[in-house]
Amino acid sequence: MSRIYGISDLHTDYDANLAFVENMPERLEDVLIVAGDISDDIPRLVETLSILKAKYKEVFFIPGNHELWLNNGDPYPNSLVKLYEIVRHCKHLGVHTEPRKVHCASGDDIWVVPLYSWYAGPDDDPRNSLYIPGKVSWKEQTLKEMGWSDAFFCKWPSLRRRSSGSGSSLAQLFAEMNSDRIVRDYDAPVISFSHFVPRAELLKATFQDELEIAQERCIMGLPNQDWKEKDFGARFNFSRVAGSNVLDRQIRKIRSKLHLYGHQHRNRDRVVKRVRYVSHCLGSPREQREGVTWGIRSGDGPKLLYGGPCDDDLCPKIEPVSPQPDQTPLPTSPRIEDTFQY
């Protein structure tokens, strides 16, 4: 019987972060969910997943944007091919990238459901974008001018136009990778996870988030000072590349009770419309030193999400699945490999 832990954004390209992973405690009866952004280097990714696999009974993983960067010497023609190669490596390692049921220490069965995702921009998919207007309009600044690395290091095949004549965004196409997962009948409560942010409400810090950072800084012996997260400023507006609304629709379609995500390097734990959303990022060494990714150092790394002896605030009881699953039909989607033009 297992407990379920979660973390994201390990970024073990930093040697200090790899050492942190190596020094994480063993939990050989438990399950770990990693919500993307381990490394853009496949050998380092495999090394990190192998370390985690030796520490946990089961490991789940979904790639983030960093994994899909193409560097000098990468043999892949585009980022989508690299994604398929990463999934192949995970299968070889015994790391799960597909839904799987686990038996928890609480005695419950829980489905862990990975969801592929990408961000929707105000330019290519305004309906699904999490964009919050900032000091500079997105129309006045390209992603490359923002300094956004994906614009330099990700490469995509041309998108085929649908038979209706409309185009598709990357956010919609990644969502279509989940087509089989969101129509599946899950016979136990669901914990889902993705790399990208599913709701705009999660982007800005609440008073409680800032209090958590202040407490983390106190634990680390840092100066007692007010901490305010940066607003969506002139040079870099993260909301433009944060996530998508289509992801949250899928989370609610499978009736997920808890959703783990990453990407924003700001930790969150809050309930929105009866779903608990958790972001628990390791982040960069600088962010760790500043106490921004609260709960990491004080909690020995991954966050306990479900199962085992814990109080309701730390690890709330997931409600039993409804005996009458939602039968609302979804529109059929093309196979993802049929959507790209190579």
Side-chain angles (χ1 to χ4, degrees), residues 129-148:
S129 178
L130 306 186
Y131 177 67
I132 299 172
K135 297 177 181 178
V136 175
S137 168
W138 64 267
K139 296 179 181 179
E140 303 175 43
Q141 190 180 53
T142 67
L143 291 180
K144 285 187 175 181
E145 290 169 342
M146 275 176 53
W148 185 239

Side-chain angles (χ1 to χ4, degrees), residues 42 69-70 73-79 81-82 85-86 89 155:
I42 285 189
W69 289 358
L70 299 179
D74 272 346
Y76 316 109
N78 56 63
S79 296
V81 174
K82 188 177 183 183
E85 180 68 5
I86 290 169
H89 278 289
K155 180 180 178 182

Side-chain angles (χ1 to χ4, degrees), residues 124 157-169 172-173 176 334-342:
D124 69 331
S158 300
L159 303 185
R160 289 178 177 170
R161 299 185 70 83
R162 299 178 185 273
S163 57
S164 63
S166 62
S168 295
S169 71
Q172 292 170 334
L173 293 173
E176 287 169 1
R335 295 184 308 151
I336 191 67
E337 55 266 36
D338 292 338
T339 314
F340 288 96
Q341 180 69 57
Y342 291 95

Side-chain angles (χ1 to χ4, degrees), residues 4-6 33 110-115 189-194 198 248 251-252 254-261 268-272 274-279 303-307 312-319:
I4 300 176
Y5 288 83
I33 301 172
I110 299 291
W111 277 98
V112 179
V113 180
L115 293 175
V190 171
I191 290 178
S192 56
F193 71 101
S194 64
D248 197 56
I251 291 168
R252 292 173 182 276
I254 61 175
R255 293 169 294 138
S256 179
K257 300 298 182 182
L258 186 154
H259 185 80
L260 175 73
Y261 68 97
R268 304 283 190 254
D269 192 343
R270 65 179 73 155
V271 175
V272 181
R274 301 182 67 182
V275 176
R276 182 185 175 201
Y277 296 90
V278 175
S279 172
K303 186 183 184 80
L304 179 61
L305 300 177
Y306 187 73
D312 288 342
D313 291 331
L314 173 65
C315 187
K317 181 73 173 178
I318 294 179
E319 299 173 8

Side-chain angles (χ1 to χ4, degrees), residues 18-219:
L18 182 63
F20 183 89
V21 170
E22 291 173 329
N23 292 322
M24 280 167 36
E26 289 186 351
R27 297 184 172 110
L28 298 178
E29 296 299 318
D30 295 329
V31 173
L32 178 67
I33 301 172
V34 185
D37 271 14
I38 291 178
S39 175
D40 60 281
D41 178 64
I42 285 189
R44 180 57 65 98
L45 171 65
V46 169
E47 178 185 7
T48 305
L49 288 173
S50 298
I51 293 170
L52 296 173
K53 194 71 174 66
K55 291 178 180 288
Y56 285 84
K57 181 179 179 180
E58 305 285 356
V59 175
F60 289 79
F61 176 68
I62 201 80
N65 53 315
H66 279 241
E67 275 82 22
L68 303 191
W69 289 358
L70 299 179
N71 297 313
N72 291 333
D74 272 346
Y76 316 109
N78 56 63
S79 296
L80 187 66
V81 174
K82 188 177 183 183
L83 171 64
Y84 292 149
E85 180 68 5
I86 290 169
V87 171
R88 188 185 69 82
H89 278 289
C90 288
K91 185 174 183 179
H92 178 74
L93 292 169
V95 172
H96 306 302
T97 58
E98 297 183 354
R100 187 178 179 90
K101 186 190 289 186
V102 299
H103 190 58
C104 292
S106 59
D108 300 327
D109 287 332
I110 299 291
W111 277 98
V112 179
V113 180
L115 293 175
Y116 291 102
S117 60
W118 200 258
Y119 45 85
D123 49 347
D124 69 331
D125 193 354
R127 175 174 175 261
N128 288 309
S129 178
L130 306 186
Y131 177 67
I132 299 172
K135 297 177 181 178
V136 175
S137 168
W138 64 267
K139 296 179 181 179
E140 303 175 43
Q141 190 180 53
T142 67
L143 291 180
K144 285 187 175 181
E145 290 169 342
M146 275 176 53
W148 185 239
S149 295
D150 292 357
F152 297 92
F153 298 121
C154 287
K155 180 180 178 182
W156 304 104
S158 300
L159 303 185
R160 289 178 177 170
R161 299 185 70 83
R162 299 178 185 273
S163 57
S164 63
S166 62
S168 295
S169 71
L170 284 170
Q172 292 170 334
L173 293 173
F174 272 75
E176 287 169 1
M177 294 183 188
N178 303 322
S179 294
D180 292 342
R181 304 176 186 201
I182 61 173
V183 297
R184 190 168 177 172
D185 184 15
Y186 297 102
D187 60 357
V190 171
I191 290 178
S192 56
F193 71 101
S194 64
H195 179 64
F196 292 97
V197 185
R199 295 184 69 93
E201 298 99 313
L202 301 169
L203 294 177
K204 291 189 176 182
T206 63
F207 173 77
Q208 183 62 36
D209 294 324
E210 293 176 348
L211 180 61
E212 295 284 2
I213 293 174
Q215 291 175 340
E216 185 84 357
R217 291 174 62 84
C218 181
I219 291 171

